[in-house]
Amino acid sequence: MQSPLPHPARDEMRIEAVLSALADPIRLRIVRALADSAEGISCGLLDLGVSASTLTHHVRTLREAGVVRVRPRGTSRISSLRRDDLDALYPGLLDGVLAAPR
Amino acid sequence: MQSPLPHPARDEMRIEAVLSALADPIRLRIVRALADSAEGISCGLLDLGVSASTLTHHVRTLREAGVVRVRPRGTSRISSLRRDDLDALYPGLLDGVLAAPR
């Protein structure tokens, strides 16, 4: 059984870290994919064209900033967007990012 | 007379560059100050506690990403937020950033 991963509480989240976490094309693709999934997904199933270790780095960056929540399920990890927290702290930010031209 | 500085057109702006430009505490302070000013301000008048060259770097980063417009006025430069462009491309993003707890 995997240990729970640490996540910042809502009041520990910092806008600079959230923006920095979002400011990367691979991480934006992860966020867009998660935005389309109510239940969360295993990011390893996304076809992002990066190595497993690179993917792990990106998901950790998103988790540590408070953008995603990662929970173990069996031997894999399911990521989901922390939309409630992001919308409460920065209303409009996530929707604005998701609306960006690609 | 100073030459006009280059700015990306709206369709040249990239969300990764905008987020990266915003993901810095000094640049966020500049953006907050500009958000309170309809006419724009000379960033050199802001009390940011950084050197002139550091300030120039930060304003350039914001300008090159498309977050601010910088125009010469006499011997100084006036910066203003490109709110219309930001709101058109990323509706809600700027307001979400400005609403962030400090």
Side-chain angles (χ1 to χ4, degrees), chain A residues 11-44:
Chain A
D11 65 3
E12 294 171 326
M13 290 167 59
R14 293 292 170 262
I15 183 68
E16 293 89 347
V18 169
L19 293 168
S20 183
L22 293 171
D24 176 273
I26 296 291
R27 293 197 289 270
L28 277 182
R29 288 175 62 189
I30 295 172
V31 166
R32 289 187 193 112
L34 295 180
D36 292 333
S37 164
E39 296 185 355
I41 52 183
S42 170
C43 289

Side-chain angles (χ1 to χ4, degrees), chain A residues 52 57 61:
Chain A
H57 157 74
T61 299

Side-chain angles (χ1 to χ4, degrees), chain B residues 5-55:
Chain B
L5 295 163
H7 293 80
R10 183 184 290 186
D11 65 2
E12 293 172 324
M13 290 167 57
R14 293 291 170 264
I15 182 68
E16 293 89 346
V18 169
L19 292 168
S20 183
L22 293 171
D24 176 274
I26 296 291
R27 294 197 290 270
L28 277 182
R29 288 175 62 188
I30 295 172
V31 167
R32 289 187 193 111
L34 296 180
D36 291 335
S37 163
E39 297 186 355
I41 52 183
S42 171
C43 289
L45 300 181
L46 298 173
D47 183 16
L48 297 169
V50 299
S51 69
S53 64
T54 297
L55 179 61

Side-chain angles (χ1 to χ4, degrees), chain B:
Chain B
M1 180 175 164
Q2 300 175 60
S3 302
L5 295 163
H7 293 80
R10 183 184 290 186
D11 65 2
E12 293 172 324
M13 290 167 57
R14 293 291 170 264
I15 182 68
E16 293 89 346
V18 169
L19 292 168
S20 183
L22 293 171
D24 176 274
I26 296 291
R27 294 197 290 270
L28 277 182
R29 288 175 62 188
I30 295 172
V31 167
R32 289 187 193 111
L34 296 180
D36 291 335
S37 163
E39 297 186 355
I41 52 183
S42 171
C43 289
L45 300 181
L46 298 173
D47 183 16
L48 297 169
V50 299
S51 69
S53 64
T54 297
L55 179 61
T56 297
H57 158 75
H58 285 310
V59 174
R60 183 174 62 236
T61 299
L62 290 167
R63 173 176 56 78
E64 290 179 345
V67 176
V68 306
R69 189 171 298 283
V70 185
R71 57 188 193 281
R73 188 166 67 190
T75 57
S76 64
R77 288 172 168 177
I78 304 298
S79 298
S80 55
L81 264 189
R82 293 178 63 176
R83 182 182 275 278
D84 287 356
D85 292 321
L86 294 167
D87 287 349
L89 291 168
Y90 323 115
L93 184 149
L94 183 62
D95 287 329
V97 169
L98 292 172
R102 310 201 185 171

